[in-house]
């Protein structure tokens, strides 16, 4: 059972988050804090209390944009503790996801918060805390991947994805209509989608062979045109890519 702290400077959002967390059977206790300074005091008390003490905390559900000390500032401070609680960011802003996961966040939940999405974040925190056995999460079908956008879950067809860009523990999926950030490492998507015609061309890029419009050679360097964007091909991947394209033609 997880002991949680919810942090948000907007009272209605804080009350809703505390309510939703309290309704989750994996949450033993949940406290609320109206700003990062108060949250830091709670975390200090938790560390002084010890892992089995009355003020102990396992996970902090943390808003990002707050007056004074913001959520990212607090998360940076927590990384300096010997035994910091886990951090889940709960925010209305998609733009900070890469920074959040650079700080080893467990998850990044977008507002408005949906019960099902918050439950997934709790599951991830429980997995990492060792309180529950891991329960695998499956995509609705192998031809789609779920993405979060403005609190709405969407299903993106894998065949529509032109290329994937590594962003730390995240990956950005590019399609003809835009891009989506998902919390899946590039190496995982490479293994999952190899049979669907995706190939690694660089440590930062995975591309769909069907969407490669041009292969360019210039003074010993190799690049490909994918979805109107030119991507560099590393030397170690150039031969494999040329062979795959030749076989396809």
């Amino acid at each position: 059972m997880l002991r949680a702290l919810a942090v948000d400077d907007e009272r209605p959002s804080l009350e809703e988050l505390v309510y939703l967390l309290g309704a989750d059977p994996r949450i033993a206790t949940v406290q609320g804090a109206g700003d990062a300074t108060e949250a830091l005091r709670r975390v200090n008390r938790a560390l002084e209390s010890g892992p089995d003490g009355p003020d102990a905390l396992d996970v902090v559900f943390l808003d990002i944009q707050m007056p004074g000390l913001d959520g990212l500032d607090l998360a940076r401070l927590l990384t300096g503790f010997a035994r910091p609680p886990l951090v889940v960011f709960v925010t209305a802003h998609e733009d900070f996801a890469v920074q959040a996961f650079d700080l080893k966040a467990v998850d990044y939940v977008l507002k408005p918060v949906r019960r099902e999405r918050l439950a997934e974040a709790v599951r991830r925190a429980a997995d990492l805390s060792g309180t529950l056995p891991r329960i695998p999460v499956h995509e609705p079908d192998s031809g789609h991947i779920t993405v979060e956008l403005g609190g709405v879950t969407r299903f993106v067809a894998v065949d529509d994805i032109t290329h994937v860009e590594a962003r730390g523990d995240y990956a950005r999926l590019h399609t003809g209509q835009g891009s989506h950030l998902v919390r899946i490492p590039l190496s995982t998507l490479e293994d999952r989608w190899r049979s669907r015609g995706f190939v690694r061309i660089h440590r930062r890029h995975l591309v769909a062979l069907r969407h490669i419009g041009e292969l360019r050679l210039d003074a010993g360097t190799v690049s490909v045109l994918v979805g109107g964007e030119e991507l560099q091909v590393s030397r170690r991947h150039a031969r494999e890519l040329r062979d795959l394209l030749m076989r396809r033609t």
Side-chain angles (χ1 to χ4, degrees):
M1 300 289 286
L2 295 172
R3 295 156 295 186
L5 173 64
V7 187
D8 199 310
D9 66 304
E10 296 181 356
R11 178 57 58 180
S13 296
L14 179 60
E15 291 176 350
E16 179 186 28
L17 185 55
V18 168
Y19 171 76
L20 291 174
L21 289 170
D24 192 303
R26 293 162 296 192
I27 300 292
T29 61
V30 56
Q31 307 171 43
D35 57 50
T37 302
E38 180 186 353
L40 187 57
R41 286 197 294 267
R42 299 277 186 94
V43 172
N44 275 316
R45 277 209 308 270
L47 295 175
E48 292 170 358
S49 177
D52 299 316
D55 295 317
L57 287 173
D58 299 303
V59 57
V60 178
F61 291 81
L62 183 59
D63 189 19
I64 288 183
Q65 291 199 325
M66 295 182 288
L69 193 69
D70 69 18
L72 292 173
D73 293 331
L74 177 58
R76 290 188 188 97
L77 289 173
L78 294 183
T79 61
F81 288 92
R83 297 185 62 184
L86 300 171
V87 172
V88 173
F89 284 101
V90 183
T91 176
H93 304 278
E94 183 185 29
D95 301 342
F96 300 103
V98 174
Q99 293 171 260
F101 284 97
D102 283 343
L103 293 169
K104 309 302 181 186
V106 173
D107 208 344
Y108 192 91
V109 179
L110 291 175
K111 296 178 181 179
V113 178
R114 293 182 300 106
R115 186 187 299 269
E116 297 81 4
R117 182 64 184 88
L118 186 62
E120 168 62 12
V122 172
R123 182 196 65 79
R124 288 175 174 168
D127 287 349
L128 288 174
S129 71
T131 59
L132 290 174
R134 183 167 180 83
I135 303 172
V137 176
H138 300 284
E139 295 296 338
D141 80 80
S142 59
H144 292 78
I145 183 170
T146 56
V147 301
E148 293 281 335
L149 184 62
V152 176
T153 299
R154 296 184 179 179
F155 303 105
V156 175
V158 176
D159 288 346
D160 291 340
I161 297 169
T162 59
H163 59 289
V164 186
E165 179 184 1
R167 291 290 187 91
D169 291 337
Y170 255 50
R172 184 167 288 280
L173 312 177
H174 293 266
T175 72
Q177 290 73 46
S179 66
H180 308 278
L181 206 60
V182 294
R183 190 179 184 271
I184 305 175
L186 192 68
S187 57
T188 299
L189 293 177
E190 180 183 10
D191 292 339
R192 184 184 297 180
W193 292 344
R194 185 176 290 110
S195 63
R196 302 186 68 87
F198 282 79
V199 60
R200 180 76 75 101
I201 64 166
H202 189 275
R203 63 183 178 83
R204 292 189 58 223
H205 289 112
L206 185 69
V207 302
L209 291 174
R210 71 178 68 84
H211 289 292
I212 294 179
E214 295 179 11
L215 178 67
R216 298 177 175 179
L217 304 175
D218 182 20
T221 63
V222 182
S223 62
V224 290
L225 190 66
V226 183
E229 185 174 350
E230 186 173 1
L231 303 175
Q232 200 73 27
V233 181
S234 66
R235 289 186 178 183
R236 63 175 296 194
H237 296 294
R239 181 182 294 275
E240 178 189 7
L241 178 63
R242 285 197 299 263
D243 291 345
L244 287 170
L245 288 174
M246 290 295 293
R247 286 201 294 269
R248 287 180 67 88
T249 56

